[in-house]
Every structure is written in structure tokens, then in C-alpha cells.
Amino acid sequence: MILNGKEVAAIIKDNVKEKINLQLTLAVILVGDDNASKIYVRNKKIACDYVGIKSLVYELPASITQNDLLELVYELNSRPDVTGILVQLPLPKHIDEAIVMENINPLKDVDGFNPQNVGALTLGAPKFIPCTPLGIMNLLAHYKISIDGKNCTIIGRSNDVGKPMALLMLAANATVTVCHSHTKNLTDITKTADILISAVGKAKFINADMIKSGATLIDVGINRESGKLCGDIDFDSCVEKAANITPVPGGVGPMTIATLMQNCVLASELQRAQ
Ligand code: NAP
């Protein structure tokens, strides 16, 4: 089965659209002119327009100081009309991403990267969960793919994907293995995975010889090969052997954005409950 993230994301966005009965505003900060980041921000704005969330996009030069960026974050933190704040990553090297994340109001932290939200997720009482891993959980739930007791291997240990993904899979009772660039004999591990999630960022990194027959393959990677978008998983080689697979594009990417819309609604609910 092809896990159609585009289709499921459309359902989620329609649900969000129906649910919104107040003016919500998402503030997105884009620093510098990284092309991929510009595309992600544009797609988030399109989703906001669709569901009826107002978006404010702040495009700042790569040369901005950390203090000036933090000043904008403080201003957005204190503005009652701003529901959610998202700082598009990566940031230029002279800016400490951790400090910026630390300073986003945890109740407006729709990306779930503030340490308070990361801690809550770790302790099993999450508020905001990072959009990509939560989007993957939503996709698996939509297709009724069971997780309980399954071997789940995640390749990648980033703060935005690999680590929160591992926590969500653990919470769903999977037996979780996290691999990274120092992992030895990767294929021996990936071949045991009932659910294999790749978040590496290397085109066609996973081929059919590396997967278990009947596995569910979730491809987080966004790569370009000869100008064409592709994932970490060699779709053509794996599609017959896998039971389920996400395509790139049209798999995890749209789910990430739809989940961001859900997180904006959650932000509004949490702030009203204060
Ligand atoms: P990242 O921070 O660069 O992490 C990549 C991970 O891959 C690291 O943990 C790295 O290990 C591991 N890795 C690198 N080479 C490896 C190898 N040969 N064997 C095993 N592991 C290896 O990237 P990220 O932010 O998690 O993103 C990963 C990919 O997903 C990128 O293509 C990104 O564009 C994409 N992405 C997509 C979405 C979406 O919505 N679809 C969202 C976020 C990211 P070390 O830790 O040891 O370096």
C-alpha cells in the first residue's frame, strides 16, 4: 500500500478548517535565503491560507544578530494576537538555535522544539509534539498500521525528527532502535525492522536488500537527484518487497504541514485554557 500523505493531509487540513472559529495567527520567521527553507515557508503559508489561519512571515537577513532575532521572538511572545511562533531551521551558524528555541513561549511553540515541550514529550505528557514525527504517527493511525510490539528502526537522531520519533514509537509500545552515522552493520538492523523510518538526507540510501519483506517504510528524507525530488528510500526497488511505503514527494512532507496546522489549533486551545 502506498501511504498517501497528500490525501491524508488534505483530510486533516479540512478538519482543521472546520474547527477554526477564532482568528488564529501563525508567525513564521525565516532568516537568510536558503532556497529549501523558502519553499517550506511558502508551503506553510499556503496551508495557513487554506485552513483560515492568518500567517505573518518575517524575512530577516542572514546577517541579523542573535539579539535582534531574540527581540522579535520576545515581541511575538507577548503579542496576544499571535497564536503560534515558528522559526524556520536551519539558522545561520552565528545564531545558537538552542537559545532561540529556549526563548519561544512554550504555549506558542507550534514546532515543539522548546526544551519545556521536549521535556514534556520525554516524560510522556506532551503538549506540542514536533510536526514531522507526529505527522508520521497520524499517517500510521490513518492507515491502521499497528505499532504495538513491532520492531521499529529509525535512522537519524536529529532533535526535530529522529529523537522525538523514537519517543513517540516507544510510547506506542514499539521496540525501538535508533541508528546514526556511527552505527555498525546497519543492514543487519534495518532487515529486522517491521517499521523502518529513514531520516538521513541521502538520496536512495535504503534499497530492497536492506529491508524486511512486508515492512512498513516511512521516508522522511527530502533529497534531489539529477534535479528530481527523491527520498532516502529507493522507492522503485523497495515498493514490491514492502507492505507499505511513503512516496517522496507526497508522503511525510504534506503530513508535516497538516500537523503544523493542528498544532496551531492546539496552541489556541492551550492559551485559552490558561
Ligand atoms: P540531520 O539533522 O542532518 O540528521 C541526519 C541523521 O542521519 C543524523 O542523525 C546522522 O547521524 C544520520 N546519518 C547520516 N549518515 C548516516 C549513515 N551513513 N548511516 C546512518 N545514519 C546516518 O537531518 P534531519 O533534520 O533529521 O533531516 C533528515 C532528512 O529529512 C533531510 O533530508 C531533511 O530534509 C528531511 N526532513 C524532511 C521533513 C519532512 O517534512 N518531510 C522534515 C524534516 C526533515 P549523526 O547524528 O551521527 O550525524
PDB file of all heavy atoms in Angstrom, residues 9 23 25 76 82 86 90 92 116 123 143-144 149 187 190 207 212 222-224 230 232 234 262 273:
ATOM      1  N   ALA A   9      -3.231  14.336   4.506  1.00  0.00           N
ATOM      2  CA  ALA A   9      -3.008  15.732   4.928  1.00  0.00           C
ATOM      3  C   ALA A   9      -4.205  16.595   4.542  1.00  0.00           C
ATOM      4  O   ALA A   9      -4.622  17.478   5.305  1.00  0.00           O
ATOM      5  CB  ALA A   9      -1.728  16.272   4.296  1.00  0.00           C
ATOM      6  N   GLN A  23      -9.976  33.866  15.165  1.00  0.00           N
ATOM      7  CA  GLN A  23      -8.841  34.257  14.323  1.00  0.00           C
ATOM      8  C   GLN A  23      -7.542  33.737  14.950  1.00  0.00           C
ATOM      9  O   GLN A  23      -7.190  34.117  16.067  1.00  0.00           O
ATOM     10  CB  GLN A  23      -8.790  35.785  14.203  1.00  0.00           C
ATOM     11  CG  GLN A  23      -7.566  36.312  13.463  1.00  0.00           C
ATOM     12  CD  GLN A  23      -7.565  35.936  11.978  1.00  0.00           C
ATOM     13  OE1 GLN A  23      -8.352  36.437  11.200  1.00  0.00           O
ATOM     14  NE2 GLN A  23      -6.683  35.017  11.599  1.00  0.00           N
ATOM     15  N   THR A  25      -3.339  33.190  14.420  1.00  0.00           N
ATOM     16  CA  THR A  25      -2.243  33.765  13.633  1.00  0.00           C
ATOM     17  C   THR A  25      -0.963  32.985  13.893  1.00  0.00           C
ATOM     18  O   THR A  25      -0.583  32.763  15.050  1.00  0.00           O
ATOM     19  CB  THR A  25      -2.025  35.248  14.016  1.00  0.00           C
ATOM     20  OG1 THR A  25      -3.252  35.952  13.773  1.00  0.00           O
ATOM     21  CG2 THR A  25      -0.912  35.883  13.205  1.00  0.00           C
ATOM     22  N   LEU A  76       6.869  38.766  19.638  1.00  0.00           N
ATOM     23  CA  LEU A  76       5.804  37.836  19.210  1.00  0.00           C
ATOM     24  C   LEU A  76       5.265  37.047  20.399  1.00  0.00           C
ATOM     25  O   LEU A  76       4.065  36.761  20.477  1.00  0.00           O
ATOM     26  CB  LEU A  76       6.327  36.897  18.121  1.00  0.00           C
ATOM     27  CG  LEU A  76       6.754  37.585  16.813  1.00  0.00           C
ATOM     28  CD1 LEU A  76       7.479  36.596  15.897  1.00  0.00           C
ATOM     29  CD2 LEU A  76       5.555  38.195  16.098  1.00  0.00           C
ATOM     30  N   VAL A  82      -0.914  36.872  18.358  1.00  0.00           N
ATOM     31  CA  VAL A  82      -0.099  35.821  17.732  1.00  0.00           C
ATOM     32  C   VAL A  82      -0.311  34.505  18.474  1.00  0.00           C
ATOM     33  O   VAL A  82      -0.026  34.390  19.661  1.00  0.00           O
ATOM     34  CB  VAL A  82       1.407  36.210  17.720  1.00  0.00           C
ATOM     35  CG1 VAL A  82       2.277  35.039  17.276  1.00  0.00           C
ATOM     36  CG2 VAL A  82       1.623  37.410  16.816  1.00  0.00           C
ATOM     37  N   LEU A  86       6.932  30.110  14.781  1.00  0.00           N
ATOM     38  CA  LEU A  86       7.783  29.076  14.179  1.00  0.00           C
ATOM     39  C   LEU A  86       9.028  29.763  13.619  1.00  0.00           C
ATOM     40  O   LEU A  86       8.912  30.723  12.855  1.00  0.00           O
ATOM     41  CB  LEU A  86       6.989  28.406  13.070  1.00  0.00           C
ATOM     42  CG  LEU A  86       7.582  27.246  12.295  1.00  0.00           C
ATOM     43  CD1 LEU A  86       6.464  26.413  11.694  1.00  0.00           C
ATOM     44  CD2 LEU A  86       8.523  27.692  11.202  1.00  0.00           C
ATOM     45  N   PRO A  90      17.336  25.447   9.104  1.00  0.00           N
ATOM     46  CA  PRO A  90      18.416  25.855  10.000  1.00  0.00           C
ATOM     47  C   PRO A  90      18.610  27.376  10.034  1.00  0.00           C
ATOM     48  O   PRO A  90      18.209  28.078   9.112  1.00  0.00           O
ATOM     49  CB  PRO A  90      19.635  25.176   9.347  1.00  0.00           C
ATOM     50  CG  PRO A  90      19.320  25.120   7.890  1.00  0.00           C
ATOM     51  CD  PRO A  90      17.833  24.947   7.795  1.00  0.00           C
ATOM     52  N   PRO A  92      21.480  30.633  10.510  1.00  0.00           N
ATOM     53  CA  PRO A  92      22.896  30.844  10.207  1.00  0.00           C
ATOM     54  C   PRO A  92      23.782  30.441  11.403  1.00  0.00           C
ATOM     55  O   PRO A  92      23.322  30.483  12.553  1.00  0.00           O
ATOM     56  CB  PRO A  92      22.981  32.355   9.955  1.00  0.00           C
ATOM     57  CG  PRO A  92      21.599  32.783   9.637  1.00  0.00           C
ATOM     58  CD  PRO A  92      20.678  31.851  10.352  1.00  0.00           C
ATOM     59  N   GLN A 116      10.969  22.928  27.217  1.00  0.00           N
ATOM     60  CA  GLN A 116       9.837  22.556  28.076  1.00  0.00           C
ATOM     61  C   GLN A 116       8.943  21.526  27.366  1.00  0.00           C
ATOM     62  O   GLN A 116       8.496  20.553  27.966  1.00  0.00           O
ATOM     63  CB  GLN A 116       9.032  23.813  28.391  1.00  0.00           C
ATOM     64  CG  GLN A 116       8.335  23.741  29.731  1.00  0.00           C
ATOM     65  CD  GLN A 116       7.827  25.106  30.130  1.00  0.00           C
ATOM     66  OE1 GLN A 116       8.599  26.053  30.248  1.00  0.00           O
ATOM     67  NE2 GLN A 116       6.542  25.238  30.333  1.00  0.00           N
ATOM     68  N   LEU A 123       8.810  12.885  29.083  1.00  0.00           N
ATOM     69  CA  LEU A 123       8.174  12.354  30.298  1.00  0.00           C
ATOM     70  C   LEU A 123       6.819  11.709  30.018  1.00  0.00           C
ATOM     71  O   LEU A 123       6.154  11.232  30.938  1.00  0.00           O
ATOM     72  CB  LEU A 123       8.013  13.477  31.330  1.00  0.00           C
ATOM     73  CG  LEU A 123       9.331  14.038  31.873  1.00  0.00           C
ATOM     74  CD1 LEU A 123       9.078  15.260  32.735  1.00  0.00           C
ATOM     75  CD2 LEU A 123      10.095  12.986  32.646  1.00  0.00           C
ATOM     76  N   TYR A 143      -3.924   4.769   8.400  1.00  0.00           N
ATOM     77  CA  TYR A 143      -3.922   3.505   7.644  1.00  0.00           C
ATOM     78  C   TYR A 143      -4.017   2.280   8.572  1.00  0.00           C
ATOM     79  O   TYR A 143      -3.846   1.158   8.114  1.00  0.00           O
ATOM     80  CB  TYR A 143      -2.670   3.426   6.755  1.00  0.00           C
ATOM     81  CG  TYR A 143      -2.784   4.309   5.522  1.00  0.00           C
ATOM     82  CD1 TYR A 143      -2.140   5.541   5.472  1.00  0.00           C
ATOM     83  CD2 TYR A 143      -3.572   3.918   4.450  1.00  0.00           C
ATOM     84  CE1 TYR A 143      -2.260   6.353   4.349  1.00  0.00           C
ATOM     85  CE2 TYR A 143      -3.697   4.730   3.327  1.00  0.00           C
ATOM     86  CZ  TYR A 143      -3.038   5.942   3.281  1.00  0.00           C
ATOM     87  OH  TYR A 143      -3.160   6.751   2.179  1.00  0.00           O
ATOM     88  N   LYS A 144      -4.260   2.545   9.868  1.00  0.00           N
ATOM     89  CA  LYS A 144      -4.450   1.467  10.850  1.00  0.00           C
ATOM     90  C   LYS A 144      -3.278   0.485  10.841  1.00  0.00           C
ATOM     91  O   LYS A 144      -3.461  -0.748  10.879  1.00  0.00           O
ATOM     92  CB  LYS A 144      -5.781   0.726  10.618  1.00  0.00           C
ATOM     93  CG  LYS A 144      -6.985   1.653  10.746  1.00  0.00           C
ATOM     94  CD  LYS A 144      -8.287   0.873  10.699  1.00  0.00           C
ATOM     95  CE  LYS A 144      -9.498   1.698  11.062  1.00  0.00           C
ATOM     96  NZ  LYS A 144      -9.630   3.014  10.456  1.00  0.00           N
ATOM     97  N   GLY A 149       4.295  -3.643  19.915  1.00  0.00           N
ATOM     98  CA  GLY A 149       5.094  -4.873  19.853  1.00  0.00           C
ATOM     99  C   GLY A 149       5.955  -5.013  18.604  1.00  0.00           C
ATOM    100  O   GLY A 149       6.688  -5.996  18.465  1.00  0.00           O
ATOM    101  N   THR A 187      22.682  -2.658   7.874  1.00  0.00           N
ATOM    102  CA  THR A 187      21.741  -3.552   7.176  1.00  0.00           C
ATOM    103  C   THR A 187      21.225  -4.664   8.085  1.00  0.00           C
ATOM    104  O   THR A 187      20.044  -5.037   8.021  1.00  0.00           O
ATOM    105  CB  THR A 187      22.407  -4.142   5.915  1.00  0.00           C
ATOM    106  OG1 THR A 187      22.737  -3.050   5.058  1.00  0.00           O
ATOM    107  CG2 THR A 187      21.495  -5.093   5.167  1.00  0.00           C
ATOM    108  N   THR A 190      18.447  -2.893   9.954  1.00  0.00           N
ATOM    109  CA  THR A 190      17.267  -2.481   9.170  1.00  0.00           C
ATOM    110  C   THR A 190      16.462  -3.698   8.701  1.00  0.00           C
ATOM    111  O   THR A 190      15.240  -3.612   8.578  1.00  0.00           O
ATOM    112  CB  THR A 190      17.671  -1.627   7.941  1.00  0.00           C
ATOM    113  OG1 THR A 190      18.632  -2.347   7.159  1.00  0.00           O
ATOM    114  CG2 THR A 190      18.275  -0.305   8.370  1.00  0.00           C
ATOM    115  N   ASN A 207      17.951   0.423   0.060  1.00  0.00           N
ATOM    116  CA  ASN A 207      17.468  -0.348  -1.096  1.00  0.00           C
ATOM    117  C   ASN A 207      16.807  -1.642  -0.604  1.00  0.00           C
ATOM    118  O   ASN A 207      16.796  -1.941   0.599  1.00  0.00           O
ATOM    119  CB  ASN A 207      18.602  -0.629  -2.073  1.00  0.00           C
ATOM    120  CG  ASN A 207      19.713  -1.431  -1.433  1.00  0.00           C
ATOM    121  OD1 ASN A 207      19.457  -2.450  -0.774  1.00  0.00           O
ATOM    122  ND2 ASN A 207      20.954  -0.988  -1.599  1.00  0.00           N
ATOM    123  N   LYS A 212      13.179  -5.685   5.457  1.00  0.00           N
ATOM    124  CA  LYS A 212      12.491  -6.949   5.711  1.00  0.00           C
ATOM    125  C   LYS A 212      11.280  -7.033   4.764  1.00  0.00           C
ATOM    126  O   LYS A 212      10.601  -6.007   4.534  1.00  0.00           O
ATOM    127  CB  LYS A 212      12.028  -6.911   7.176  1.00  0.00           C
ATOM    128  CG  LYS A 212      11.292  -8.124   7.670  1.00  0.00           C
ATOM    129  CD  LYS A 212      10.984  -7.909   9.164  1.00  0.00           C
ATOM    130  CE  LYS A 212      10.171  -9.027   9.733  1.00  0.00           C
ATOM    131  NZ  LYS A 212       9.950  -8.838  11.184  1.00  0.00           N
ATOM    132  N   ILE A 222      14.321  14.360   2.202  1.00  0.00           N
ATOM    133  CA  ILE A 222      13.989  15.178   1.028  1.00  0.00           C
ATOM    134  C   ILE A 222      15.321  15.463   0.340  1.00  0.00           C
ATOM    135  O   ILE A 222      16.159  16.207   0.874  1.00  0.00           O
ATOM    136  CB  ILE A 222      13.305  16.507   1.425  1.00  0.00           C
ATOM    137  CG1 ILE A 222      12.004  16.222   2.197  1.00  0.00           C
ATOM    138  CG2 ILE A 222      13.009  17.342   0.182  1.00  0.00           C
ATOM    139  CD1 ILE A 222      11.301  17.481   2.698  1.00  0.00           C
ATOM    140  N   ASN A 223      15.509  14.846  -0.792  1.00  0.00           N
ATOM    141  CA  ASN A 223      16.784  14.975  -1.495  1.00  0.00           C
ATOM    142  C   ASN A 223      16.515  15.286  -2.960  1.00  0.00           C
ATOM    143  O   ASN A 223      15.408  15.104  -3.441  1.00  0.00           O
ATOM    144  CB  ASN A 223      17.562  13.644  -1.406  1.00  0.00           C
ATOM    145  CG  ASN A 223      17.572  13.092   0.004  1.00  0.00           C
ATOM    146  OD1 ASN A 223      18.121  13.694   0.910  1.00  0.00           O
ATOM    147  ND2 ASN A 223      16.917  11.948   0.209  1.00  0.00           N
ATOM    148  N   ARG A 224      17.556  15.730  -3.617  1.00  0.00           N
ATOM    149  CA  ARG A 224      17.441  15.932  -5.074  1.00  0.00           C
ATOM    150  C   ARG A 224      18.466  15.066  -5.769  1.00  0.00           C
ATOM    151  O   ARG A 224      19.622  14.991  -5.347  1.00  0.00           O
ATOM    152  CB  ARG A 224      17.691  17.402  -5.421  1.00  0.00           C
ATOM    153  CG  ARG A 224      16.484  18.221  -5.132  1.00  0.00           C
ATOM    154  CD  ARG A 224      16.453  19.549  -5.870  1.00  0.00           C
ATOM    155  NE  ARG A 224      15.231  20.246  -5.469  1.00  0.00           N
ATOM    156  CZ  ARG A 224      14.098  20.141  -6.115  1.00  0.00           C
ATOM    157  NH1 ARG A 224      14.006  19.427  -7.210  1.00  0.00           N
ATOM    158  NH2 ARG A 224      13.018  20.778  -5.667  1.00  0.00           N
ATOM    159  N   CYS A 230      13.651  13.298  -4.413  1.00  0.00           N
ATOM    160  CA  CYS A 230      13.511  11.888  -4.020  1.00  0.00           C
ATOM    161  C   CYS A 230      13.798  11.749  -2.524  1.00  0.00           C
ATOM    162  O   CYS A 230      14.326  12.666  -1.895  1.00  0.00           O
ATOM    163  CB  CYS A 230      14.431  10.981  -4.841  1.00  0.00           C
ATOM    164  SG  CYS A 230      16.159  11.153  -4.446  1.00  0.00           S
ATOM    165  N   ASP A 232      15.011   9.107   0.962  1.00  0.00           N
ATOM    166  CA  ASP A 232      16.166   8.285   1.364  1.00  0.00           C
ATOM    167  C   ASP A 232      15.999   6.854   0.879  1.00  0.00           C
ATOM    168  O   ASP A 232      16.944   6.079   0.856  1.00  0.00           O
ATOM    169  CB  ASP A 232      16.248   8.202   2.899  1.00  0.00           C
ATOM    170  CG  ASP A 232      16.626   9.516   3.544  1.00  0.00           C
ATOM    171  OD1 ASP A 232      17.015  10.453   2.816  1.00  0.00           O
ATOM    172  OD2 ASP A 232      16.538   9.594   4.790  1.00  0.00           O
ATOM    173  N   ASP A 234      14.953   4.008  -1.829  1.00  0.00           N
ATOM    174  CA  ASP A 234      14.837   3.760  -3.266  1.00  0.00           C
ATOM    175  C   ASP A 234      13.464   3.131  -3.523  1.00  0.00           C
ATOM    176  O   ASP A 234      13.294   1.917  -3.408  1.00  0.00           O
ATOM    177  CB  ASP A 234      15.985   2.848  -3.714  1.00  0.00           C
ATOM    178  CG  ASP A 234      15.981   2.661  -5.221  1.00  0.00           C
ATOM    179  OD1 ASP A 234      15.035   3.140  -5.879  1.00  0.00           O
ATOM    180  OD2 ASP A 234      16.915   2.026  -5.730  1.00  0.00           O
ATOM    181  N   GLN A 262      -2.646  21.600  12.850  1.00  0.00           N
ATOM    182  CA  GLN A 262      -3.277  21.068  14.080  1.00  0.00           C
ATOM    183  C   GLN A 262      -2.617  21.683  15.315  1.00  0.00           C
ATOM    184  O   GLN A 262      -3.293  21.995  16.302  1.00  0.00           O
ATOM    185  CB  GLN A 262      -3.101  19.549  14.146  1.00  0.00           C
ATOM    186  CG  GLN A 262      -3.967  18.772  13.179  1.00  0.00           C
ATOM    187  CD  GLN A 262      -3.799  17.271  13.353  1.00  0.00           C
ATOM    188  OE1 GLN A 262      -2.677  16.771  13.427  1.00  0.00           O
ATOM    189  NE2 GLN A 262      -4.890  16.538  13.400  1.00  0.00           N
ATOM    190  N   ALA A 273      -7.027  28.076  27.735  1.00  0.00           N
ATOM    191  CA  ALA A 273      -7.209  27.336  28.991  1.00  0.00           C
ATOM    192  C   ALA A 273      -6.378  27.942  30.133  1.00  0.00           C
ATOM    193  O   ALA A 273      -6.529  27.539  31.288  1.00  0.00           O
ATOM    194  CB  ALA A 273      -6.809  25.876  28.793  1.00  0.00           C
TER     195      ALA A 273
END
